[in-house]
Amino acid sequence: MTGEQRVRRVVIAGGGTAGWLAAAALSHQLGKLLDITLVESDEIGTVGVGEATIPTVRSFHALIGLDEREFLRATNATFKLGISFENWARIGDRYIHSFGTLGRSTWMGEFHHFWLHARAAGVADEIGAYCLEHEAAAAERFAGGEGQDTSYAFHLDATLYARHLRARSEAAGVRRIEGKIARVDRDGESGEIRALVLDSGAEVPGDLFIDCTGFRALLLGETLGVGFEDWGEWLQTDRALAVQTESTRPAVPYTRAVAHDAGWRWQIPLQNRVGNGLVYASAFLDDDAARERLLASLDGPTRTEPRLIRYRTGRREQSWAANCVSLGLSSGFVEPLESTSIHLIMIGITRLMQLFPFGGCHEGLRRRFNAQSRTELERVRDFIILHYKLTERDDSPFWRRCRDMSVPQSLADRIALWVEDAHAYQGAEDLFRVDSWVQVMLGQRLQPGGHHLLGRIMPDERLRQTFEGMRRSVRERVASMPAHGEFLKRYAA
């Protein structure tokens, strides 16, 4: 029968950010077509350190009808214009990877080619001077909301975020069942998952199951036996310690990522506190020393005890197997450096809604979903590896190993293209834009040997006037912005 709906009962295994984002999106967009149940246990904690996002979060919030001011108030969120990288190429270095667009590009070439020509001619400032978000972040100013074209994301409290999404989902008809999953029953003939069996003995049957059980991947990994592809040879950190502290100064509109001799630490300012963490490679730093290092780096009194999170970087060989789709940590993990975890959950949910298997979990749908998921995650992986590879640090075994390691061929090709001709690109499955690649490569001191000569077409005086005009325009807009804290109080009061 054409148009027959064989998949109606959707069961989400696990809550947290991944589970409740899936519930909120599916109920908002497809709620009239689906019966959605989420199973979680209050006794099982979540990782809960995904407190920084990238600008795609705003599009997803619009997709699920989430009001921005309501969200800010519910999650103690602040605004984010980028990430401040400190001590990465060399100790003492600092650059900002902002979310903005660099200057003005043409069909023939990106802005940085013009900038390289102007820089050589002595008429251009640092490249960040031609990006509104870069300069606003550096000045700790912000203006957003309706009528503004600023590109921004958020810092948020992940626990409050899941709680807010849960309330919206349950109001939209999602059924939540409290309980631990004791086992997963499969159909004897098809091998598909038939039901979740809880420790109470209750069964939760479904047609499609969404695995949001974190690193354990209870459904996709343990039950369906989908293997894990390890990326530890390139991304050597495998542990993080997280702790909350009191705020000691107004919140800044950027995340801090400060490198240390065995990894890096984050600082994420919220309205009411600061999220802190130390990411490290256990082969180069033991847990006790990591704890001492984290506590010594804090600016304010602690509100929680440091929590240890062990992880492996890599991905499941498939994100969708049989009638099970994995989201979040159950499908793979790169590491928190560029705040991609929440985005990867959201794009997975978006992709699932586009390819939703109403007529059954056919092989063609799975192949398409898995191919897109694999390519995007590998491109994110390459961008994260770039930060480690492009170091000049020689002060510790960890950084020497990062500097000297071989990288995936896909990344090696990108680096060569930049070094030889200053070319950077964004492919169809790439999350990070040309502007991001350029800011990180220049920020990590990777200078190109050549560039497109389109800048020579412009007369010298016009080139000088053009760059002065762009610089002045950015300065004037930043000067008109309020301090980040002032805007936040007014906007989310």
Side-chain angles (χ1 to χ4, degrees), residues 269-289:
L270 304 184
Q271 292 181 38
N272 64 330
R273 63 169 175 83
V274 177
N276 307 268
L278 191 86
V279 178
Y280 60 102
S282 61
F284 298 94
L285 185 68
D286 66 48
D287 295 341
D288 290 338

Side-chain angles (χ1 to χ4, degrees), residues 390-408:
L390 299 187
T391 186
E392 297 178 3
R393 290 184 57 159
D394 193 35
D395 58 291
S396 70
F398 173 81
W399 287 109
R400 286 193 292 271
R401 182 171 172 183
C402 291
R403 180 196 62 194
D404 297 337
M405 69 179 170
S406 298
V407 298

Side-chain angles (χ1 to χ4, degrees), residues 330-347:
S330 62
S331 65
F333 185 66
V334 184
E335 71 150 80
L337 185 60
E338 282 280 358
S339 312
T340 57
S341 292
I342 291 177
H343 163 81
L344 290 169
I345 296 168
M346 291 176 171
I347 194 63

